[in-house]
Amino acid sequence: MPKNSGKQASPTPTPTPGIGLRERLDGHELDLSLSGISEPPVRELAALPKATILDLSCNCLITLPPEFCSLTHLIKLDLSKNQLQELPSDFGRLINLQHLDLYNNKLINLPVSFAQLKNLKWLDLKGNPLDSTLKKVAGDCLDEKQCRQSAANVLRYMKTIQSDQDREKQRRLQVEREMEKRREAELQAKEAREREQRKREKMEEKERRRREYDAQKLQRSSEAKEQSPDGVLEKPATAASPAKSQKTRSVCPVLLKVLFLLLLCLFTMVVMCRGTQLAHEQLCSTVNHLYEDALNALQGNKVLQHILRSLQFP
């Protein structure tokens, strides 16, 4: 459909006071043209899903907020004769859009997401300072056929750009993954080298301590040989030796005391049997007999004989 250029922007348009969006809704069409709008009322428009045809032509729009792309119920949108310099990057979310009028704005390029407007059947981009390639692809929109062809051509072109960008994105992702794998491999190799280095250092430290231990052991062995009279190592005392020696030392005095007591008793019996009236008793007779036998056996030892004879009484 050819562009109807009869709409003229008012210098200072003012909406009719007291009239809301619902009052302007006519069936499925909401006409907000010539309203001096610099920012579309997205929240109010979202509350009117019935308004599938929206006319925002001849306003003061410079850009559309990202929230505008949530109006997915729109089927026909007229943004002609504004000052739009670009469309939101998510403009392709308006997937139900079939008719789009962007006549006489300041657009140079379209967002890549434009390729997602798969239902778009009519497009007018005349009167925009388009990129030369995009302008050639879009062509004219002087009648219904040209506007439909423009929509098909632009969608095809934007899909090509999107495909190229997706491939480039995949290529960059692949490069990043390869770089990440390379960094991980380098990190793993570095960690392996560090582990090997630590292992080698531990082995070297262990070997050094072993050599020091062997040297100290050899030195102690040499010192022990030097201290031994014949150069023979003395058997080290066991842990039980001190206890045994202590026990032996504690038993010896007792045995000596018992032996001394026995000798004292024997000496007393000999004295009593030889120096008292008990000499004729049977016990003393046996003692005297043993005494004489001992005296005769020790005749060869003059010292002991002299000691024994000194025990005789007159």
Side-chain angles (χ1 to χ4, degrees), residues 182-279:
R182 190 179 301 111
R183 285 193 294 267
E184 290 179 358
E186 292 176 354
L187 180 60
Q188 292 176 358
K190 181 180 178 181
E191 292 176 350
R193 290 194 300 269
E194 292 176 351
R195 287 195 298 269
E196 186 65 24
Q197 178 66 20
R198 289 194 296 269
K199 183 178 179 181
R200 185 164 52 252
E201 291 175 354
K202 289 181 178 178
M203 292 180 63
E204 292 175 354
E205 178 65 17
K206 184 177 180 180
E207 181 65 19
R208 184 186 64 80
R209 291 198 303 267
R210 187 187 65 79
R211 288 197 299 267
E212 290 179 355
Y213 172 78
D214 292 342
Q216 293 175 0
K217 184 177 179 181
L218 181 61
Q219 183 179 2
R220 288 195 297 268
S221 177
S222 301
E223 292 175 354
K225 286 182 179 180
E226 292 176 357
Q227 294 176 0
S228 178
D230 299 329
V232 180
L233 291 175
E234 296 181 357
K235 184 177 180 181
T238 61
S241 296
K244 186 176 180 181
S245 300
Q246 183 67 24
K247 184 176 181 182
T248 303
R249 287 194 295 270
S250 62
V251 172
C252 287
V254 176
L255 294 176
L256 290 176
K257 290 179 181 180
V258 172
L259 181 60
F260 178 75
L261 184 60
L262 292 174
L263 291 175
L264 182 61
C265 292
L266 182 61
F267 178 75
T268 302
M269 290 180 64
V270 172
V271 171
M272 290 178 64
C273 290
R274 295 184 64 82
T276 64
Q277 298 299 326
L278 298 176

Side-chain angles (χ1 to χ4, degrees), residues 36-203:
I37 297 175
S38 59
E39 183 173 351
V42 177
R43 183 177 300 179
E44 291 79 359
L45 292 172
L48 295 174
K50 186 179 179 181
T52 58
I53 301 174
L54 178 61
D55 188 352
L56 288 171
S57 62
C58 302
N59 279 294
C60 306
L61 299 175
I62 297 177
T63 184
L64 297 176
E67 295 79 9
F68 187 85
C69 301
S70 64
L71 304 177
T72 55
H73 59 278
L74 294 178
I75 295 177
K76 183 175 180 179
L77 177 61
D78 190 348
L79 294 169
S80 63
K81 297 183 179 180
N82 278 283
Q83 303 296 318
L84 292 174
Q85 299 177 5
E86 62 179 0
L87 298 178
S89 59
D90 289 339
F91 194 81
R93 290 174 58 191
L94 303 176
I95 55 175
N96 293 313
L97 202 61
Q98 299 179 16
H99 184 112
L100 179 59
D101 194 342
L102 293 170
Y103 169 74
N104 200 13
N105 277 279
K106 295 184 178 181
L107 297 172
I108 298 177
N109 284 300
L110 298 175
V112 178
S113 65
F114 201 91
Q116 300 172 15
L117 300 177
K118 58 183 180 180
N119 293 314
L120 189 65
K121 301 294 188 295
W122 195 98
L123 177 63
D124 188 358
L125 288 171
K126 294 193 311 298
N128 287 278
L130 297 174
D131 174 78
S132 58
T133 304
L134 179 59
K135 183 177 181 179
K136 182 178 180 180
V137 169
D140 291 328
C141 180
L142 301 176
D143 54 33
E144 184 73 15
K145 182 179 179 180
Q146 288 183 345
C147 293
R148 287 181 174 275
Q149 188 62 45
S150 177
N153 292 342
V154 170
L155 282 179
R156 191 181 306 110
Y157 173 71
M158 297 307 297
K159 287 180 180 179
T160 302
I161 294 179
Q162 184 181 50
S163 178
D164 292 343
Q165 289 190 359
D166 289 342
R167 282 196 298 270
E168 179 63 20
K169 184 178 180 180
Q170 290 297 325
R171 187 191 67 80
R172 288 197 301 268
L173 290 175
Q174 183 66 24
V175 171
E176 290 177 359
R177 283 196 292 267
E178 291 177 356
M179 291 179 63
E180 183 65 23
K181 289 181 180 179
R182 190 179 301 111
R183 285 193 294 267
E184 290 179 358
E186 292 176 354
L187 180 60
Q188 292 176 358
K190 181 180 178 181
E191 292 176 350
R193 290 194 300 269
E194 292 176 351
R195 287 195 298 269
E196 186 65 24
Q197 178 66 20
R198 289 194 296 269
K199 183 178 179 181
R200 185 164 52 252
E201 291 175 354
K202 289 181 178 178
M203 292 180 63

